[in-house]
Amino acid sequence: MTEWIKRKQRYIPKLFLSLIDLLKGMIAPGLAWLTVGMVGAHLAAVAVVLGQIYPIWGSKRGDTGITVATGAIFILSPILILVGSVIYLFSLLVTRYMVLSVFFATLAVMLFSLVFIAHVYLWVVTISVGGLILFRQQRYWRRFRRGMEPPFRWRHFF
C-alpha cells in the first residue's frame, strides 16, 4: 500500500499544476472575450501562451506551453481541442512517445483549423501557437533522435 502511495505522490503535483495551467489558458481569452470581444480573445490566447513559454518575471526558463495552449484554444474552438485530444491519445497508444503524440496532435489542430474553421483570426492563433509549441519541443526531438527519450509507461499509471 505504501508503494502505491509513493508512486501516486509523483503524479498529484504534476496533475495539479497542469490543471492550473489549463485554467490559466482558459481564463485569459475568456475574460478578453467578455470585455474586449473576439479579436481581444484571440490576442489574449497568443499572449498567454507566449507568457508561459517565455516568462518575463523571474529566472525560470519557461514551459512548453501545451496545457496553456489547450485551455486557450478550448475557449476559442472546443472542437479543435476534441480532435487534438483524440489524435494525441491515439498516437500515444500507438507510439508510446509523448514527443510524437504532441507533434501529431499539434499538426492535426493546425491543419483542422485551416480546413474546417472559417475565422481568419483562429487560423493565425492556431498556426502561431502551434509553431511556438513545435519550436519549444526541439530538445525533446533531439533526445528522441538520440534514443534517449523514454517511452510512456501505461502500466501502474492509476
Side-chain angles (χ1 to χ4, degrees):
M1 183 68 169
T2 58
E3 184 66 32
W4 183 82
I5 293 172
K6 286 180 185 176
R7 208 171 43 237
K8 296 306 162 207
Q9 286 177 347
R10 292 185 301 180
Y11 294 112
I12 299 293
K14 290 180 184 179
L15 185 65
F16 183 68
L17 290 175
S18 295
L19 183 65
I20 289 174
D21 283 345
L22 187 72
L23 289 174
K24 181 175 30 174
M26 293 171 82
I27 289 171
L31 286 177
W33 195 338
L34 291 175
T35 57
V36 182
M38 185 73 111
V39 176
H42 289 88
L43 289 174
V46 173
V48 74
V49 173
L50 272 172
Q52 180 72 17
I53 293 175
Y54 302 108
I56 58 173
W57 304 110
S59 62
K60 186 181 174 197
R61 184 168 177 217
D63 197 11
T64 57
I66 296 169
T67 52
V68 173
T70 302
I73 294 177
F74 181 77
I75 294 296
L76 301 176
S77 178
I79 193 73
L80 284 177
I81 295 304
L82 178 67
V83 168
S85 298
V86 167
I87 291 174
Y88 177 80
L89 289 175
F90 179 73
S91 62
L92 190 61
L93 280 171
V94 171
T95 65
R96 291 185 22 207
Y97 287 102
M98 286 193 184
V99 66
L100 289 176
S101 300
V102 168
F103 175 74
F104 291 141
T106 305
L107 200 62
V109 167
M110 291 166 65
L111 292 176
F112 271 88
S113 72
L114 289 175
V115 174
F116 294 114
I117 305 297
H119 299 281
V120 175
Y121 293 124
L122 193 56
W123 290 351
V124 172
V125 169
T126 55
I127 289 175
S128 61
V129 167
L132 284 170
I133 288 172
L134 292 177
F135 179 73
R136 288 297 284 191
Q137 292 288 318
Q138 285 179 350
R139 65 179 169 166
Y140 299 111
W141 276 107
R142 281 188 226 117
R143 285 176 42 182
F144 179 73
R145 283 194 312 254
R146 292 180 188 150
M148 297 169 48
E149 184 73 20
F152 185 76
R153 304 282 183 213
W154 289 101
R155 189 176 45 178
H156 303 297
F157 184 69
F158 293 107

